[in-house]
């Protein structure tokens, strides 16, 4: 595991964007898996700027998102789909059929999950996964207790996760489930880049670095991945 501590989230985001740009320029057909949340917002800003400056093109990339809320349509302001369009997809040259995100409103959500796994397999698997982390150690929506063999599926969100995400969910009824790729999907990716910012992430980062129990801290599963880079700001490295 490569661990890099930066001063703040601005520095984390610029380093993360540089890493992504160099991966994409090295392999324009990269199959990416991307996160949502507050932490990666500046990464997307940096990527959009780099695209406008012709430093990178996403025209041959395939993009999967990590997760989505169950019950929210893609055009709901609180959905991860709306976030992705607003932050990234609508501003760059990602191909029309090259962006995948689970449909949280699918009438058969279990078959939506199975279909998502098939689409990942058909793309040849994930090359590069970018992750944030929840304060309880969740990655994607793989909450504590998630199985190491889990794949895309519907999960119950913890009270902690719901409380953390409420500012981005303006309308009732608020979702209480997510559809997320699993720990096994993440562990099969060729490379993982995890970004963490703020003191609320310090306990999860402590568990990652000290090989905590992945059944309690899902992020600690990454200890057994052989190509992980962790970008932290000073607050997230506080423990
Ligand atoms: C959400 C997402 C995760 C994300 C995490 C942290 O619940 N499902 O993929 O990493 O929360 O988000 P933030 O960066 O806002 O703290």
């Amino acid at each position: 595991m490569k661990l890099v501590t930066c001063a703040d989230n601005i520095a984390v985001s610029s380093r993360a964007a540089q890493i992504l740009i160099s991966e994409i320029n090295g392999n324009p057909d990269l199959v990416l898996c991307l996160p949502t949340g507050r932490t990666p917002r500046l990464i997307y800003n940096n990527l959009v700027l780099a695209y406008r400056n012709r430093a990178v093109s996403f025209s041959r990339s395939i993009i999967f998102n990590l997760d989505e809320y169950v019950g929210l349509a893609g055009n709901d302001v609180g959905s991860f789909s709306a976030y992705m369009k607003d932050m990234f997809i609508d501003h760059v040259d990602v191909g029309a059929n090259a962006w995948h995100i689970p449909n949280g409103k699918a009438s058969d959500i279990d078959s939506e999950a199975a279909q998502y796994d098939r689409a990942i397999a058909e793309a040849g698997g994930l090359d590069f996964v970018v992750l944030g982390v929840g304060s309880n150690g969740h990655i994607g929506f793989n909450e504590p207790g998630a199985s190491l063999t889990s794949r895309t599926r519907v999960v119950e969100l913890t009270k902690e996760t719901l409380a953390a995400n409420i500012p981005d969910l303006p309308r009732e009824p608020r979702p209480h489930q997510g559809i997320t790729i699993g720990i096994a999907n993440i562990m099969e990716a060729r490379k993982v880049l995890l970004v963490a910012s703020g003191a609320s992430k310090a306990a999860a980062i402590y568990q990652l670095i000290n090989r905590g129990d992945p059944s309690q801290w899902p992020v600690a599963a990454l200890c057994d991945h052989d190509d992980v880079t962790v970008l932290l700001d000073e607050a997230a490295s506080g423990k």
Side-chain angles (χ1 to χ4, degrees), residues 11 29 55 60 77 81 102 125 127 187 200 231 233:
D29 301 310
R60 285 164 55 187
V77 282
S81 174
D127 291 314
M187 294 302 283
S200 66
L231 295 178
D233 67 7

Side-chain angles (χ1 to χ4, degrees), residues 35-40 66-67 80 132-134 138 140-141 161 165 201:
T36 52
R38 286 176 290 278
T39 315
L66 283 168
D67 49 14
F80 291 159
V133 62
H138 75 233
F141 270 143
T161 297
N165 291 2
K201 307 298 171 68

